[in-house]
Amino acid sequence: MNLRLLGLVGLIYISLVYAEQVKYTGYKVIRITPKNEKEVEVLRDLESLGLSFWTGPNPPNRSSDVLFPPHMFDVIDTVRGAGLEVSEYISDVQSVIDETSIVGKSINKRNGINEFRFDIYHRLDEILDWLDELEKLHPDLASTFSIGKSYEGRDLRILKIAKPSGTQKRAIWIDASIHAREWITGGVTLFIINELLNGNNPIYQGWIEDYDWYFLPVHNPDGFEYSHTNNRLWRKTRSNAPSSTCKGADPNRNWDYYWRTGGSSTNPCSETYAGPKAFSEPETNLTAQFINTIADQLDFFVSLHSYSQLILISYGVRVPFPPHDVYMKIGTEAATAIAKRYGTRFVPGNIVDLLYVASGGSMDWVKGIHDVPLAYTFELRDRGSYGFLLPPNQIQPSSLELLDGLAVMIDAVRKGIPPTVQS
């Protein structure tokens, strides 16, 4: 079977359907596990054909999840015939989208504001309205402001939580939804905000006493909105690529730290397209400019992604990182804390070791340029049963277990993290 010919048909099909609302009726997510480097090449061939990898392509003995349209199901048999382990994880992607894409309005009033619900997902306008209402409800704690506009003119909105103290505190940063389809990350971030401002847990209240908090709940607002209106599985920004009809760049391959040195693409149609240059995307450039203004204050950086249940450590390229053992110890302790509540198992480790080379990421830039004492990327639930389509009834448990892990990390920050010495 000619895989490359099938791939061209697939690419043509995908380009056509992206012009209107994309339906994934009959599409399957297939988990493929290579046993050796020769079989890894089969995965790379699939990638070159334009198939969407939800995870991977990964090295031997680590699985990759691949989205297959119905007209390319013959390729699944070809892959199986080549000796790779193949199993079906999602039998009909559209039915899962229909089941899990529960989006609604918060209409219940409490204390004069909309009671924000955490059993549904929310559109961008409602998220921003809620942030504004939090500022009105907590004028001495919360402030919200825009750091600039996205490519399509939407606000990149920060929520800052800071209790007046008379002195400048150290700071913690959390961002989400840098990849548009990863809706659970925004839901979790909003839940954490709610716990800090409207909850009564003394541990979380202590965090407000000790730290200023900066939240960017929707890092990629254009892509996020597009994932609601046109394509639930959209990942990138929505900028125009030079000399291409394909839209957007991968905003987590666009940061100016070892940019485009591996694990990213020069093809504007690729989901890992790094952009025409570092910081070509206003969403990454403006965020980096703002982080520059608080970097001396910043003790702890967290970026939320999904899925796979991982606690990722820099770097996404092979450069020396002396405090690796310290980060692994903290990550392992955080994973243990996370598991205590619901039994959810997270695995800590370096990006390259657990996933693949991925240059130009936000965490690498924050650690490499500013040497923030502690920096992690979390890949949230699950491990593939829903993948990017996690139902909203998992927002609350995902948030609570993450808070358990963050408690370990914040305690470590309080005790002090050894500085990095780049070689």
Side-chain angles (χ1 to χ4, degrees):
M1 182 171 295
N2 190 330
L3 291 180
R4 296 196 177 278
L5 179 59
L6 279 172
L8 290 174
V9 175
L11 284 171
I12 293 169
Y13 175 81
I14 289 170
S15 296
L16 289 173
V17 298
Y18 273 14
E20 56 190 32
Q21 188 169 29
V22 179
K23 295 292 184 181
Y24 289 93
T25 305
Y27 280 60
K28 297 181 184 294
V29 176
I30 304 297
R31 179 158 289 184
I32 304 173
T33 307
K35 298 182 293 295
N36 51 53
E37 286 296 336
K38 182 178 179 181
E39 293 183 354
V40 170
E41 287 302 316
V42 175
L43 287 180
R44 295 195 180 108
D45 285 344
L46 295 179
E47 186 181 35
S48 70
L49 300 182
L51 285 166
S52 174
F53 275 70
W54 283 19
T55 63
N58 283 323
N61 302 312
R62 299 215 316 254
S63 61
S64 298
D65 295 346
V66 188
L67 179 68
F68 281 87
H71 68 284
M72 295 186 74
F73 285 170
D74 285 352
V75 177
I76 302 172
D77 295 330
T78 302
V79 172
R80 185 181 287 110
L84 285 77
E85 181 182 331
V86 174
S87 58
E88 183 178 293
Y89 256 61
I90 299 178
S91 60
D92 179 41
V93 171
Q94 187 60 46
S95 66
V96 179
I97 290 174
D98 294 340
E99 173 195 347
T100 61
S101 298
I102 304 169
V103 180
K105 292 285 185 180
S106 298
I107 59 174
N108 299 324
K109 289 284 186 177
R110 182 173 64 93
N111 296 330
I113 68 167
N114 288 329
E115 184 178 9
F116 203 76
R117 293 174 56 186
F118 297 101
D119 58 346
I120 57 176
Y121 289 114
H122 298 273
R123 294 283 295 273
L124 179 66
D125 59 349
E126 188 174 359
I127 292 170
L128 300 186
D129 287 347
W130 186 64
L131 297 182
D132 289 338
E133 291 185 340
L134 288 175
E135 182 179 40
K136 293 175 185 176
L137 185 64
H138 304 281
D140 295 333
L141 280 177
S143 59
T144 181
F145 51 91
S146 174
I147 58 172
K149 300 287 187 179
S150 68
Y151 180 82
E152 293 181 341
R154 296 181 175 90
D155 278 326
L156 291 166
R157 188 79 70 82
I158 299 280
L159 178 79
K160 179 181 179 181
I161 300 175
K163 192 167 187 177
S165 65
T167 59
Q168 186 182 66
K169 299 177 189 174
R170 307 300 296 169
I172 295 172
W173 167 282
I174 297 180
D175 69 66
S177 302
I178 191 170
H179 287 147
R181 61 193 176 189
E182 297 168 12
W183 288 6
I184 187 61
T185 66
V188 166
T189 301
L190 298 171
F191 188 97
I192 292 173
I193 290 170
N194 189 64
E195 287 296 299
L196 292 180
L197 288 176
N198 297 324
N200 55 15
N201 187 311
I203 294 175
Y204 309 154
Q205 299 310 304
W207 295 351
I208 296 176
E209 292 284 347
D210 294 346
Y211 293 97
D212 291 346
W213 290 74
Y214 295 90
F215 292 93
L216 179 57
V218 186
H219 198 159
N220 175 12
D222 297 346
F224 180 75
E225 271 297 285
Y226 192 77
S227 73
H228 281 272
T229 59
N230 291 72
N231 183 353
R232 175 62 184 87
L233 296 177
W234 187 259
R235 168 185 170 99
K236 300 189 291 180
T237 63
R238 294 292 300 160
S239 59
N240 290 323
S243 304
S244 175
T245 58
C246 292
K247 299 276 284 186
D250 182 342
N252 207 40
R253 300 292 189 277
N254 190 239
W255 293 67
D256 195 10
Y257 189 75
Y258 287 87
W259 176 75
R260 220 173 70 181
T261 57
S264 60
S265 176
T266 58
N267 177 4
C269 298
S270 168
E271 290 190 331
T272 59
Y273 174 54
K277 62 180 181 179
F279 289 140
S280 61
E281 308 308 287
E283 296 83 357
T284 60
N285 186 36
L286 290 167
T287 303
Q289 288 181 37
F290 179 75
I291 291 175
N292 285 338
T293 69
I294 64 168
D296 290 343
Q297 183 189 2
L298 203 56
D299 265 357
F300 186 21
F301 172 92
V302 178
S303 187
L304 298 183
H305 289 249
S306 73
Y307 60 98
S308 288
Q309 295 171 201
L310 303 174
I311 302 173
L312 297 175
I313 300 168
S314 287
Y315 290 101
V317 291
R318 287 296 189 190
V319 296
F321 187 27
H324 177 81
D325 291 345
V326 174
Y327 270 50
M328 277 297 296
K329 180 177 183 294
I330 296 169
T332 300
E333 291 171 352
T336 300
I338 288 171
K340 284 182 179 178
R341 188 178 290 265
Y342 302 112
T344 312
R345 301 292 176 182
F346 277 67
V347 177
N350 172 260
I351 295 170
V352 178
D353 293 337
L354 290 184
L355 294 174
Y356 34 71
V357 172
S359 61
S362 63
M363 177 176 65
D364 283 5
W365 180 86
V366 167
K367 186 63 186 174
I369 298 299
H370 291 297
D371 194 18
V372 170
L374 205 62
Y376 287 97
T377 293
F378 281 84
E379 295 280 354
L380 300 177
R381 293 184 182 191
D382 58 5
R383 287 184 171 171
S385 296
Y386 287 98
F388 299 119
L389 306 175
L390 204 67
N393 64 11
Q394 295 200 37
I395 293 172
Q396 179 168 326
S398 296
S399 303
L400 291 173
E401 66 193 12
L402 177 63
L403 283 163
D404 293 338
L406 293 179
V408 171
M409 293 175 167
I410 291 171
D411 186 57
V413 169
R414 283 184 173 130
K415 293 175 181 176
I417 307 296
T420 301
V421 178
Q422 296 285 359
S423 61

